[in-house]
Amino acid sequence: MKDYYAVLGVSRHAGQEEIKKAYRRLARRYHPDVNRGDSEAAERFKEINEAYEVLGDPAKRRRYDLYGEAAGIPSVFERGFEGFGDPFGGLFDLFFGRGRTRTTHAPRRGSDLVAVVELTLEEAYRGVTRSVEVPRHMTCDSCGGNGVESGYALDLCPECGGEGRITHTRRSAFGTFTSSTTCRRCGGLGEINTHPCPRCGGSGTVEAVDPVEVEIPPGIDDGDRIRVPGKGEAGFMGGPPGDLYVEVRLAEHEFLEREGKDLRAVVELGMAEAALGTVVEVPTLDGKERLTIPAGSQPGQVFRLPGKGMPSLRSRGRGDLYLVLDVRVPRDLTPEQRRLLEEFQRLESERSGGKGWRERLRKAMRPQH
Ligand SMILES: [Zn+2]
Ligand SMILES: [Zn+2]
């Protein structure tokens, strides 16, 4: 990588005004008009302009300081991982494993986070806004995320001179061997942070609990996830933040059971109520509803209340509410109840006149000879 600071003869901590002055001075000296026919001066003039184009622009300079990226120049990142294949592989773990004092400057997207919220069925029915508190890493506002104390910049690694690799030469009876290894001082990045930001310790991020308001739409179901863009972990070294995923758990409801868009509930009736018919109040998510049970209703019989189910997330319209009848058979009867039921049974036998299912069964099971 061409060192633009060296080209302009200024230090890496030089202010914008100093860079401008250095450029003007050099540009005057090497200008083609005063060096006619001198190809070396022309080349130098081109170099000076290229350097100033980057360092003279604070935004481009910052990018150059951080990643070494400028017109056609491979980034520090690429150089650092040359020959290692997947740059996001194990090496990253190696550098990030160092914790807060790591020296990696390559930009990386922050991780996604998952938060679980428990909702009641009523909340899922109407939709709700929830404040979710997730401890997460946020970009350090003191250094803007680059981990360098304000007023300073990254320095060229003195160990490898910015190359990111160290070449060893070994002589033996068989000849000279050269090998190269990743620079341990800078982790192969060619630059080091000699002035870590005091607020974040050079990591570029600080951990904090930042409540995130999440809009949960009506109809949300157990296990559904809502993505809140940009509310995950902060990115590293200017990389974008990750996303927050809010996963919904539905608490069990006392009466209502959810089946997709539809709801189910059991309506329990006494034996006589089922036989005589009645009107019952049933719970719905809109409040109580009156349901007329006709005389002679059977256990397991289902009544449908259209549109009393859950709203749909993906389409308009609502599901239905299904009410399943359950008939309660009394366990201990008072003497009076017993007398009445026995009377009922006698009348019932008389009425069926031997055509009840028990008589039919007995006939069916009689030996055939
Ligand atoms: Zn910081
Ligand atoms: Zn180095």
Side-chain angles (χ1 to χ4, degrees), residues 214-348:
V214 186
E215 191 94 22
I216 297 170
I220 197 97
D221 205 350
D222 192 72
D224 283 345
R225 279 184 167 194
I226 298 163
R227 188 172 75 102
V228 189
K231 293 294 186 183
E233 296 275 41
F236 292 102
M237 302 298 130
D243 299 331
L244 170 67
Y245 287 88
V246 176
E247 191 173 311
V248 169
R249 296 274 154 78
L250 274 195
E252 243 173 64
H253 191 272
E254 205 183 343
F255 302 107
L256 299 167
E257 203 179 301
R258 182 173 184 171
E259 277 170 11
K261 282 203 303 174
D262 298 328
L263 293 170
R264 263 170 79 89
V266 172
V267 173
E268 217 179 59
L269 294 180
M271 216 166 59
E273 280 180 309
L276 300 171
T278 183
V279 175
V280 289
E281 280 201 326
V282 291
T284 78
L285 291 173
D286 275 336
K288 288 199 190 318
E289 191 87 7
R290 286 165 73 82
L291 175 70
T292 304
I293 312 268
S297 290
Q298 301 295 311
Q301 197 168 331
V302 179
F303 297 87
R304 187 170 73 103
L305 296 184
K308 294 290 174 189
M310 297 295 285
S312 171
L313 265 193
R314 284 154 202 97
S315 62
R316 300 202 299 143
R318 283 164 191 277
D320 303 328
L321 170 58
Y322 291 92
L323 297 158
V324 186
L325 275 202
D326 190 18
V327 175
R328 211 168 43 235
V329 177
R331 283 173 188 280
D332 30 29
L333 301 168
T334 63
E336 173 73 351
Q337 283 173 326
R338 176 171 262 293
R339 197 185 56 73
L340 286 170
L341 273 181
E342 278 168 355
E343 177 67 6
F344 171 81
Q345 178 56 31
R346 192 183 58 77
L347 292 169
E348 192 65 5

Side-chain angles (χ1 to χ4, degrees), residues 157-162 164-165 183-192:
C157 172
E159 200 76 25
C160 60
R165 300 184 69 72
C183 172
R184 268 197 254 169
R185 176 87 187 265
C186 63
L189 292 155
E191 290 178 306
I192 54 166

Side-chain angles (χ1 to χ4, degrees), residues 140 142-143 147 197 199-200 204:
C140 170
S142 187
C143 62
C197 164
R199 173 117 198 275
C200 62

Side-chain angles (χ1 to χ4, degrees), residues 12-233:
R12 296 181 72 82
H13 307 311
Q16 289 306 121
E17 198 49 43
E18 194 186 336
I19 287 172
K20 200 168 164 184
K21 270 187 199 152
Y23 165 71
R24 284 199 183 141
R25 186 166 37 82
L26 291 168
R28 265 199 301 273
R29 197 198 302 172
Y30 292 99
H31 200 281
D33 287 352
V34 289
N35 298 276
R36 277 181 207 283
D38 185 343
S39 62
E40 213 172 286
E43 191 53 42
R44 190 87 168 84
F45 183 72
K46 220 178 100 192
E47 225 176 45
I48 291 159
N49 275 293
E50 193 184 304
Y52 184 66
E53 204 174 291
V54 174
L55 301 187
D57 177 333
K60 282 187 191 163
R61 181 185 177 188
R62 185 167 172 269
R63 197 163 164 71
Y64 172 77
D65 285 346
L66 283 176
Y67 320 128
E69 279 172 84
I73 293 166
S75 70
V76 179
F77 178 74
E78 288 163 30
R79 282 187 310 118
F81 293 96
E82 223 164 45
F84 282 87
D86 174 19
F88 291 97
L91 278 169
F92 256 120
D93 299 338
L94 191 70
F95 301 138
F96 285 106
R98 289 186 199 168
R100 295 169 58 83
T101 56
R102 65 174 183 257
T103 52
T104 292
H105 323 304
R108 192 177 69 145
R109 183 180 178 273
S111 328
D112 293 335
L113 291 172
V114 178
V116 174
V117 293
E118 196 177 71
L119 301 182
T120 62
L121 193 60
E122 283 85 354
E123 286 172 322
Y125 178 75
R126 287 192 190 91
V128 68
T129 303
R130 269 293 178 88
S131 177
V132 181
E133 292 196 351
V134 204
R136 61 191 186 98
H137 285 92
M138 290 183 284
T139 301
C140 170
D141 46 24
S142 187
C143 62
N146 68 7
V148 184
E149 189 175 353
S150 79
Y152 293 94
L154 295 169
D155 283 316
L156 263 197
C157 172
E159 200 76 25
C160 60
E163 289 306 311
R165 300 184 69 72
I166 301 206
T167 308
H168 307 273
T169 306
R170 200 157 46 88
R171 281 176 231 283
S172 79
F174 305 103
T176 306
F177 298 91
T178 54
S179 62
S180 107
T181 53
T182 304
C183 172
R184 268 197 254 169
R185 176 87 187 265
C186 63
L189 292 155
E191 290 178 306
I192 54 166
N193 186 355
T194 45
H195 292 90
C197 164
R199 173 117 198 275
C200 62
S203 68
T205 60
V206 284
E207 203 184 66
V209 176
D210 170 35
V212 177
E213 295 273 292
V214 186
E215 191 94 22
I216 297 170
I220 197 97
D221 205 350
D222 192 72
D224 283 345
R225 279 184 167 194
I226 298 163
R227 188 172 75 102
V228 189
K231 293 294 186 183
E233 296 275 41

